[in-house]
Amino acid sequence: VRSLEPVTGVPVTAQRLRSQLPALSKSAFDAAAIELRKRQQVFLSLHHDPHNLSAQERDLLIDGGDGTYYVAIAIR
């Protein structure tokens, strides 16, 4: 995440970060992001209206597993 930040502390989009980790499946990426959030190591930016997005657009976001979706990630 740090290497992709435009400025220190600025969130990186989930799509941009995932593109740098092509060997990692979406489900593994999402699970890792949620685990880092639970450990309070990262902050995830909530998407406020993911259900108005197409399935393809939601696939670019981090799936919280509980109906929430996150658009970006930043190191705490």
Side-chain angles (χ1 to χ4, degrees):
V1 173
R2 285 227 194 273
S3 67
L4 298 175
E5 293 173 329
V7 176
T8 301
V10 173
V12 175
T13 66
Q15 181 180 6
R16 185 168 180 213
L17 182 56
R18 281 188 61 210
S19 73
Q20 299 299 308
L21 303 166
L24 197 59
S25 70
K26 175 174 173 31
S27 60
F29 176 87
D30 291 355
I34 297 301
E35 181 60 29
L36 288 171
R37 180 178 154 267
K38 286 179 185 175
R39 293 181 185 183
Q40 298 183 354
Q41 293 179 322
V42 299
F43 174 79
L44 299 179
S45 301
L46 185 66
H47 190 291
H48 293 286
D49 197 15
H51 301 291
N52 279 328
L53 300 174
S54 69
Q56 185 178 20
E57 291 169 319
R58 275 194 310 274
D59 193 49
L60 299 175
L61 305 176
I62 298 167
D63 184 345
D66 59 0
T68 58
Y69 287 85
Y70 302 92
V71 69
I73 186 169
I75 296 175
R76 285 183 172 246

